[in-house]
Amino acid sequence: MARPRPTEFDKKKIVAENRRARFDYAIDEVYEAGIALTGTEVKSLRFGEGSIAESYADVQEGEVWLINANIPEFSHGNRHNHEPKRPRKLLLKGREINKLFGAVARQGMTLVPLSIYFNAKGRAKVELALAKGRKAHDKREYQAEKDWKREQGRLLREHG
């Protein structure tokens, strides 16, 4: 059965999101990476199942791998079903991989997946961030700044 073509407005269908990442990490750069999946993994993601809450990415031997991402087994998959927490290869250009490897090795940065989504062409993609971990006091500052911006917006709406 042919998959219906996405409309102009249906640019991104977010499947899994790591909402905690923006709080725990100071995001430096964001990359879009393809992800090598098996058929049952894609079907499971299309049903909106999957979690990247405790996952991270790692550079090993010139390849980037998504580790600890949970894509549950497909309900209608038979003996050809996949392993839910297997490492999955991320597809990036060589130059991007070298840049990520350098940042992780030299500057102590972390590769954090922000979301898994389907793009306008129906391809599964991972939004990967190069980030630096926040300390507890940085998190408090970040939260206070966010609260202040929210309050500021509310005050401007009331008196504007």
Side-chain angles (χ1 to χ4, degrees):
M1 186 168 96
R3 178 177 51 232
R5 301 303 316 155
T7 61
E8 190 65 36
F9 303 106
D10 191 23
K11 292 222 187 299
K12 261 189 183 181
K13 180 183 178 257
I14 294 178
V15 177
E17 199 170 13
N18 188 352
R19 301 186 64 163
R20 186 109 182 122
R22 294 190 190 276
F23 179 73
D24 288 340
Y25 298 94
I27 309 289
D28 190 29
E29 282 186 70
V30 178
Y31 295 91
E32 181 184 67
I35 181 167
L37 299 171
T38 63
T40 53
E41 288 173 326
V42 174
K43 288 180 178 187
S44 199
L45 283 175
R46 286 207 189 276
F47 274 105
E49 297 175 350
S51 167
I52 54 169
E54 304 92 36
S55 64
Y56 62 96
D58 193 19
V59 181
Q60 299 168 356
E61 299 166 17
E63 294 179 338
V64 182
W65 294 86
L66 182 64
I67 306 207
N68 211 21
N70 184 26
I71 300 175
E73 289 187 343
F74 182 54
S75 57
H76 295 38
N78 50 21
R79 67 178 185 267
H80 301 296
N81 235 328
H82 62 275
E83 184 72 33
K85 286 204 169 195
R86 75 176 181 90
R88 292 166 179 92
K89 187 174 176 180
L90 296 181
L91 310 171
L92 289 155
K93 291 194 165 56
R95 184 184 289 148
E96 290 175 327
I97 293 172
N98 291 337
K99 190 174 181 180
L100 293 174
F101 177 72
V104 169
R106 283 191 290 280
Q107 300 162 6
M109 312 258 308
T110 310
L111 291 173
V112 184
L114 298 177
S115 64
I116 295 180
Y117 61 91
F118 287 102
N119 68 2
K121 288 185 175 177
R123 303 266 191 252
K125 300 285 183 180
V126 176
E127 197 172 35
L128 194 64
L130 193 56
K132 200 161 192 73
R134 283 196 173 117
K135 304 275 190 276
H137 62 87
D138 292 336
K139 290 179 188 178
R140 284 192 294 272
E141 280 176 28
Y142 174 73
Q143 191 62 44
E145 187 179 317
K146 213 163 106 176
D147 291 345
W148 167 241
K149 283 186 179 170
R150 187 181 302 125
E151 183 70 20
Q152 215 174 15
R154 201 173 57 76
L155 289 170
L156 284 173
R157 279 194 304 275
E158 280 180 7
H159 299 295

